[in-house]
């Protein structure tokens, strides 16, 4: 009350209400803990809302980058060599790598693409 005299009437009303409600000492502690937890939850919620989604956007950007690396062939004419070269070209733009690493990535991609799917098994 001495720090902010303008809020004196409001503080007196709040004190009167608390006294009339006959709040037990443990209830005040529970309210204090509840308020702290609610503040923490609000801060977490704000942090989660502020974060940018990464999964779907990163995947869409990767697919677009790989498609841009593909030759101007219709999809029906693409081979595993074309796709593995496009994959290596895209990854090479994102992560610097040497020719030997690029060749290994192309081989790995080709082997993955040639694996049978569940429908083919």
């Amino acid at each position: 009350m001495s720090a902010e005299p303008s809020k004196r009437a409001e503080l007196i009303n709040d004190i009167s209400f608390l006294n009339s409600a006959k709040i037990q000492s443990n209830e005040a502690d529970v309210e204090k803990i509840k308020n702290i937890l609610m503040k923490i939850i609000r801060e977490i919620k704000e942090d989660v809302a502020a974060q940018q989604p990464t999964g779907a956007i990163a995947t869409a950007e990767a697919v677009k980058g790989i498609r841009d690396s593909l030759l101007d062939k219709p999809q029906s004419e693409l081979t595993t060599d074309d796709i593995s070269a496009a994959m290596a070209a895209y990854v090479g733009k994102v992560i610097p790598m040497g020719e030997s690493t690029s060749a290994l990535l192309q081989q790995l991609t080709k082997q993955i693409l040639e694996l049978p799917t569940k429908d083919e098994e």
Side-chain angles (χ1 to χ4, degrees):
M1 284 192 269
S2 61
E4 293 187 39
S6 61
K7 294 186 178 182
R8 180 177 169 80
E10 184 181 336
L11 291 172
I12 291 173
N13 285 338
D14 289 343
I15 291 171
S16 297
F17 173 75
L18 291 174
N19 288 336
S20 67
K22 296 183 182 176
I23 295 178
Q24 297 177 359
S25 62
N26 64 346
E27 288 182 55
D29 292 339
V30 169
E31 279 298 312
K32 187 175 182 179
I33 292 170
K34 183 179 94 173
N35 290 336
I36 292 170
L37 287 174
M38 291 304 293
K39 183 179 178 184
I40 292 170
I41 290 171
R42 275 189 231 107
E43 288 176 7
I44 291 171
K45 185 178 177 183
E46 289 170 4
D47 288 346
V48 169
Q51 288 181 353
Q52 298 293 327
T54 56
I57 292 172
T59 304
E61 289 175 4
V63 170
K64 185 182 180 319
I66 293 167
R67 285 189 183 180
D68 291 345
S69 298
L70 285 170
L71 303 173
D72 293 330
K73 288 185 179 180
Q75 188 173 357
S76 60
E77 295 178 15
L78 291 174
T79 64
T80 55
D81 290 327
D82 296 332
I83 296 171
S84 62
M87 287 278 294
Y90 173 74
V91 172
K93 290 178 188 175
V94 178
I95 303 169
M97 58 183 170
E99 289 181 30
S100 61
T101 307
S102 179
L104 288 171
L105 180 61
Q106 285 183 23
Q107 289 174 2
L108 176 64
T109 305
K110 186 175 178 181
Q111 288 176 359
I112 291 171
L113 291 171
E114 291 173 348
L115 288 174
T117 61
K118 288 183 179 182
D119 296 337
E120 294 175 349
E121 290 179 345

